[in-house]
Amino acid sequence: MEETRKSEDNFMMKLSAAIVDKRNLVFLVVAIGLIFSVFSRNWVKVENELAKYLPVESETRQGLDVMADQFTTFGTADIMVANVTWEEAQRLLDRISAIDGVQGVAFDDSTDHYAHVSALYSVTFDYDQEDDRCLTALEKVKAALSGYDLYISTELGDQLSEIIDAEVSMIMVYVAVIVVAVLLLTSQTYAEVPVLLLTFVTAMILNMGTNFLLGTISFVSNSVTSILQLALSLDYAVILCNRFKEEHLHAPIREAAVIALSKAIPEIGASSLTTVGGLAAMLFMQFRIGPDMAVCLIKAIIFALLSVFIIMPGLLVLFGPLMDRTGHRSFVPKIPFVGRFAYATRFIIPPLFVAAVVLGIHYSNLCPYVYGYDRIETPKLNETQIAENMIKDNFTSSNLVALVIPTGDYDKERAILNDLERRDEVKSTMGLVNIEAMDGYMLADKLTPRQFAELADLDYELAQAIYAAYAVQQEDYGQIVGGISTYGVPLVDIFLFVCDQVDNGYVSLDDAAVARLHDAQTQMRHGLVQLQGTEYDRCLVYLSLPEDGDETYAFLDTMRGVAQSYYPGETVYVVGNSSSAYDFQKSFSRDNQVVSIVSLLIVLAVLLFTFKSAGMPLLLILVIQGSIWINFSFPTFTQTPLFYMSYLVVSSIQMGANIDYAIVIASRYQELKQSQSRRDAIIETLNFAFPTIITSGMILAVSGILIGRMTSEPCIVGIGQSLGRGTIISILLVMFVLPQILLLGGFIVDKTSFSVSMPIHRHSASGRVTLDGMVRGEIHGMVTGTIHAVVDGSVNVSLISGTVTEEARDETDSE
């Protein structure tokens, strides 16, 4: 066993020495990587639609895929013009309709379009919503209305990404200022601050530059990963920096960097496992944005570790002389009163905490989760949200849902829409069967040759010939034999057939008739590509219900049931923002259980390995899980709707990251109580842990608070608010509750310890010897206790636990 430990130590020392000595090569490779990343970060594709991350088996996801494959969705925009009279609004309608690229404008005298001396124009463009020409046409509309107060709501372009990027950039500036301030407050030398910042910035840029390897990432991951990377991993760099300063007290810069790195790699690696473990729980979510965030954040943690292990040692050597000259007194005060308070209240605080946890469980279960955005109010509003709110406040709003049914039977479609329109929850519907084409006829109305001749202003004999040709094309020969005069064909089908015959020269009409025909053909084709596919038809249903809520979800089931009654055994889809929210709700229960169980199991396994006790992990997890329950009780008390994904993401991060604070205190206390009284041990433990916890915790809490206050995207706002509040609660519990639990529950930890006592080895050495562990022996005298030191001289000790490493003296040390 001793030989194995020596082999491991030697390997770690050799690896650390190689990293330190090859620092110039490391700097060169990293510089190349940074230059590459500056360009490659622009290759990252960002997905702005949460619905894209629904499980592939969900109805909404399948329905969206069908609609994308079979229908064309033209670009649209709702344009509100404030402070205009009705007559002026009519003139503006003509002006907008005449703009090149505008297909049509919906506007009438109902409260849907004119109210409170304001007009709302629903503009449809000639191009697919992904076509950049829609944006060009929208700019022309803006120019035509430049003299008016405009509020525009549209999903065209990449406005969300642009807005979030601008907001996150501003947040990063604030976070950077706060990080520098915190580091200056908690540092011991001014020159260590640039070392820490360079280490993190390098990791951040390299991580952003490699995101393109993931293909497409969500706008949530793209916006918060860098900030959370800083907050979650900065303490890794702080640990190595503190190790270096400790070793440099009795070793030159280069040797101090090597020794510090060799000791920090296993320490930091073990610390990162809980964070990675908590994030890994999101990999098991059905809602695929969880795995998306998990992969992005775990990759960010890995780059942070690589930056600390490979880049930072070279920076410490480079800045080492400057660190020697810029030392200052510690600005972080000692807090012995907290330790004395913990000891005095060890029988009082734990029962109160258990009662708070019980209440937290109850009220967190009542948390007002929502699955859509319409009930969430964000502290900050972007231009799009301001426009949407103005439109909602002034006009009658509708909740649009698409009903996708098998194609080919207009009678069934008409019956379904008639059934739905009779219900109070439906404001209106639109499908091929109720869109007016010409002179009161709907697109799907069946016309006889005489009716069509009158409508299209054709000779009756020509109309009969056209109908006969159509019957031949459709192989409907019975109509020809039975009498073509009673043959009924849907208006849209016969009209488009005639247009094809005219275009191919089989039918000759005068120029005026051809012009009328082609105008009608354009409008019909626009309707068809939006509403009719090869296998499915799409009907639009406008509901008077909110996007999110049990009543809405129940009516979606009703819609599905109505459609299914006409198409038994066939697939129908109900698709829209409400169906997305409904699917989110269905996946939440399962995702919640999976995330909670997996994160607990992973963190539990790491803690068992760390403490070699069954009791200690349970105590630590109780504190952090308690903070999670208390955290998500707050929305219940304030009746603030919380987007459900915020809970799933933050509970994983809080369990994985905040547990580190508890580990710092628990491990230090376990070490000190071997040689000190419990009272002195807990006082010294909190004095030791406070700088580390306040550094990492303050940055994570402030980052969360800034995200929650300075972004306008509801999902990201919920993550920020919950993370900031949860981190503060965790810090308070770790500092003012965990010490009492450790004092009171220490016997549980001791009784459940499964560590195997190691044989005591005798060591005799001279020269430079590193002691790290529990020893007993002579170092120019008898020593008993926990030792972490480098001794120049003779050593004759018995190793109870830890390591003793005899180092070869560097000839330069004596020079």
Side-chain angles (χ1 to χ4, degrees):
M1 189 70 180
E2 181 182 357
E3 294 300 322
T4 301
R5 184 179 291 112
K6 285 184 177 180
S7 175
E8 292 173 352
D9 291 342
N10 289 336
F11 169 76
M12 201 62 69
M13 287 291 291
K14 290 178 181 179
L15 175 63
S16 302
I19 292 173
V20 172
D21 292 339
K22 300 295 183 181
R23 57 188 177 276
N24 290 332
L25 176 61
V26 169
F27 291 156
L28 176 62
V29 173
V30 170
I32 295 173
L34 291 174
I35 294 172
F36 174 80
S37 295
V38 169
F39 295 97
S40 63
R41 67 186 297 268
N42 297 317
W43 305 342
V44 180
K45 297 179 180 178
V46 179
E47 176 56 62
N48 293 326
E49 293 291 334
L50 287 177
K52 296 287 187 181
Y53 293 92
L54 282 166
V56 292
E57 65 274 11
S58 67
E59 179 184 4
T60 303
R61 177 70 267 157
Q62 294 177 2
L64 287 172
D65 291 340
V66 168
M67 291 198 301
D69 180 58
Q70 301 210 9
F71 307 109
T72 296
T73 301
F74 291 107
T76 61
D78 285 336
I79 302 176
M80 173 183 168
V81 182
N83 303 314
V84 291
T85 64
W86 169 251
E87 292 74 17
E88 193 173 8
Q90 289 280 42
R91 290 194 297 270
L92 293 180
L93 171 62
D94 296 334
R95 185 185 301 180
I96 298 172
S97 300
I99 294 175
D100 183 36
V102 173
Q103 179 188 135
V105 184
F107 180 76
D108 54 40
D109 60 355
S110 69
T111 55
D112 290 346
H113 293 286
Y114 188 81
H116 304 104
V117 199
S118 298
L120 178 63
Y121 304 96
S122 297
V123 181
T124 302
F125 299 101
D126 282 328
Y127 319 105
D128 184 276
Q129 61 182 358
E130 303 296 332
D131 196 319
D132 289 340
R133 288 179 292 180
C134 288
L135 292 173
T136 302
L138 179 59
E139 290 301 320
K140 293 179 181 177
V141 174
K142 290 181 182 179
L145 304 176
S146 58
Y148 296 88
D149 294 331
L150 299 182
Y151 299 92
I152 300 175
S153 173
T154 181
E155 295 182 359
L156 297 176
D158 202 12
Q159 293 183 358
L160 180 61
S161 291
E162 294 173 359
I163 291 170
I164 293 177
D165 286 345
E167 292 173 346
V168 170
S169 297
M170 183 58 65
I171 292 173
M172 286 298 295
V173 172
Y174 282 93
V175 170
V177 172
I178 292 170
V179 167
V180 172
V182 171
L183 292 179
L184 286 173
L185 177 68
T186 58
S187 66
Q188 294 175 326
T189 67
Y190 293 114
E192 71 187 67
V193 175
V195 173
L196 298 172
L197 292 178
L198 286 172
T199 300
F200 168 72
V201 170
T202 300
M204 180 185 70
I205 295 175
L206 292 176
N207 183 58
M208 294 171 60
T210 55
N211 277 339
F212 77 95
L213 298 175
L214 301 177
T216 301
I217 63 175
S218 71
F219 71 92
V220 181
S221 300
N222 187 59
S223 59
V224 302
T225 295
S226 295
I227 299 174
L228 293 182
Q229 181 187 23
L230 166 62
L232 293 173
S233 61
L234 185 63
D235 53 339
Y236 304 154
V238 172
I239 290 173
L240 178 57
C241 186
N242 289 339
R243 276 287 189 182
F244 169 77
K245 291 182 292 185
E246 188 177 343
E247 299 296 338
H248 188 37
L249 293 175
H250 44 69
I253 291 175
R254 182 262 178 193
E255 285 73 14
V258 172
I259 298 172
L261 180 60
S262 68
K263 294 178 179 179
I265 289 177
E267 181 181 355
I268 295 172
S271 175
S272 67
L273 287 178
T274 55
T275 303
V276 172
L279 298 174
M282 291 192 292
L283 291 171
F284 299 90
M285 287 172 55
Q286 283 184 323
F287 185 31
R288 304 310 299 168
I289 205 166
D292 177 84
M293 286 199 68
V295 170
C296 290
L297 286 172
I298 290 174
K299 184 168 73 70
I301 297 298
I302 291 174
F303 269 102
L305 291 173
L306 291 176
S307 183
V308 169
F309 293 156
I310 298 176
I311 302 168
M312 188 174 175
L315 293 175
L316 289 171
V317 174
L318 184 64
F319 282 82
L322 187 59
M323 291 172 66
D324 290 341
R325 298 193 298 271
T326 59
H328 62 79
R329 67 178 181 85
S330 175
F331 299 118
V332 180
K334 297 291 184 179
I335 52 170
F337 61 91
V338 178
R340 290 193 291 267
F341 171 80
Y343 190 79
T345 59
R346 63 190 184 279
F347 297 111
I348 301 173
I349 295 298
L352 294 177
F353 171 67
V354 171
V357 168
V358 172
L359 292 175
I361 294 173
H362 173 71
Y363 286 106
S364 63
N365 288 331
L366 301 177
C367 184
Y369 297 114
V370 293
Y371 307 91
Y373 283 176
D374 60 335
R375 284 193 284 161
I376 299 178
E377 296 182 3
T378 58
K380 179 180 180 180
L381 297 176
N382 58 51
E383 290 185 4
T384 300
Q385 291 170 326
I386 292 172
E388 290 174 348
N389 289 343
M390 285 291 293
I391 293 172
K392 288 180 181 178
D393 292 341
N394 286 279
F395 301 96
T396 306
S397 60
S398 298
N399 177 12
L400 173 61
V401 176
L403 177 62
V404 182
I405 57 178
T407 191
D409 196 325
Y410 293 134
D411 292 335
K412 288 183 178 179
E413 180 177 328
R414 183 179 293 106
I416 291 173
L417 295 186
N418 288 338
D419 188 332
L420 292 176
E421 285 185 337
R422 287 193 293 268
R423 299 175 184 269
D424 295 336
E425 296 88 348
V426 177
K427 294 179 61 178
S428 63
T429 64
M430 186 176 74
L432 289 175
V433 298
N434 61 6
I435 295 180
E436 184 176 351
M438 302 172 66
D439 295 348
Y441 287 110
M442 304 300 170
L443 283 174
D445 285 350
K446 291 183 177 180
L447 274 64
T448 64
R450 183 171 297 280
Q451 290 173 316
F452 181 70
E454 294 173 353
L455 178 66
D457 196 18
L458 300 175
D459 290 336
Y460 177 57
E461 290 77 10
L462 177 59
Q464 285 184 311
I466 291 172
Y467 267 63
Y470 179 84
V472 171
Q473 185 190 66
Q474 300 297 315
E475 299 182 356
D476 197 358
Y477 303 111
Q479 294 291 340
I480 300 176
V481 176
I484 203 70
S485 61
T486 59
Y487 186 20
V489 178
L491 171 60
V492 62
D493 295 341
I494 193 64
F495 225 108
L496 294 179
F497 176 76
V498 172
C499 291
D500 289 339
Q501 299 301 305
V502 171
D503 292 340
N504 291 326
Y506 299 135
V507 175
S508 297
L509 300 173
D510 59 65
D511 292 343
V514 170
R516 290 197 305 271
L517 206 62
H518 281 164
D519 287 342
Q521 178 191 32
T522 300
Q523 296 301 319
M524 290 182 184
R525 289 198 184 280
H526 282 159
L528 282 177
V529 296
Q530 293 183 84
L531 301 175
Q532 188 174 70
T534 56
E535 300 176 24
Y536 291 93
D537 283 355
R538 176 166 61 177
C539 304
L540 305 181
V541 182
Y542 295 87
L543 306 180
S544 57
L545 299 171
E547 288 187 355
D548 179 22
D550 292 338
E551 184 182 3
T552 302
Y553 303 152
F555 190 72
L556 295 183
D557 290 333
T558 299
M559 286 180 57
R560 190 180 301 104
V562 170
Q564 203 74 65
S565 67
Y566 289 92
Y567 294 96
E570 298 186 70
T571 303
V572 299
Y573 301 100
V574 178
V575 184
N577 290 339
S578 291
S579 69
S580 295
Y582 195 13
D583 285 337
F584 291 155
Q585 185 198 51
K586 292 175 182 177
S587 67
F588 175 57
S589 177
R590 185 262 185 195
D591 284 345
N592 185 22
Q593 292 179 358
V594 169
V595 168
S596 299
I597 293 173
V598 173
S599 61
L600 282 173
L601 290 178
I602 293 176
V603 171
L604 179 62
V606 174
L607 295 179
L608 283 172
F609 175 80
T610 301
F611 290 101
K612 295 183 175 62
S613 167
M616 181 65 81
L618 295 178
L619 296 179
L620 301 188
I621 288 176
L622 173 63
V623 173
I624 301 303
Q625 185 60 52
S627 72
I628 295 173
W629 285 321
I630 295 172
N631 182 21
F632 289 100
S633 297
F634 276 77
T636 303
F637 296 134
T638 60
Q639 284 302 298
T640 303
L642 177 68
F643 191 57
Y644 86 104
M645 196 190 75
S646 303
Y647 168 79
L648 294 174
V649 172
V650 172
S651 61
S652 298
I653 295 176
Q654 199 173 342
M655 175 57 71
N658 294 170
I659 196 75
D660 283 349
Y661 311 152
I663 292 174
V664 170
I665 289 179
S667 58
R668 188 69 170 185
Y669 174 70
Q670 286 294 98
E671 178 182 340
L672 292 178
K673 76 174 185 177
Q674 302 296 327
S675 57
Q676 299 180 16
S677 68
R678 291 191 303 157
R679 181 179 183 277
D680 292 342
I682 203 65
I683 292 174
E684 182 58 33
T685 293
L686 294 176
N687 281 332
F688 166 82
F690 180 64
T692 301
I693 294 175
I694 202 64
T695 301
S696 178
M698 183 182 295
I699 291 173
L700 182 57
V702 169
S703 298
I705 292 171
L706 289 175
I707 292 172
R709 297 295 303 177
M710 298 181 64
T711 52
S712 55
E713 166 58 35
C715 174
I716 300 175
V717 167
I719 292 175
Q721 291 175 340
S722 300
L723 184 60
R725 183 178 61 241
T727 301
I728 292 173
I729 293 172
S730 295
I731 293 173
L732 292 175
L733 293 183
V734 164
M735 293 298 296
F736 295 98
V737 175
L738 178 61
Q740 289 89 328
I741 291 178
L742 292 176
L743 288 167
L744 194 63
F747 73 94
I748 298 177
V749 177
D750 296 335
K751 291 292 185 181
T752 58
S753 175
F754 55 83
S755 58
V756 179
S757 298
M758 301 300 298
I760 298 177
H761 299 283
R762 190 75 181 175
H763 292 267
S764 296
S766 61
R768 172 162 293 172
V769 183
T770 300
L771 302 179
D772 192 356
M774 179 68 73
V775 300
R776 178 181 176 83
E778 296 178 357
I779 308 175
H780 299 296
M782 182 63 69
V783 174
T784 301
T786 300
I787 300 295
H788 173 69
V790 173
V791 177
D792 288 314
S794 298
V795 173
N796 183 17
V797 298
S798 297
L799 180 66
I800 300 172
S801 66
T803 61
V804 175
T805 305
E806 184 175 359
E807 304 176 19
R809 177 178 286 274
D810 194 331
E811 294 180 359
T812 60
D813 292 350
S814 60
E815 296 179 1

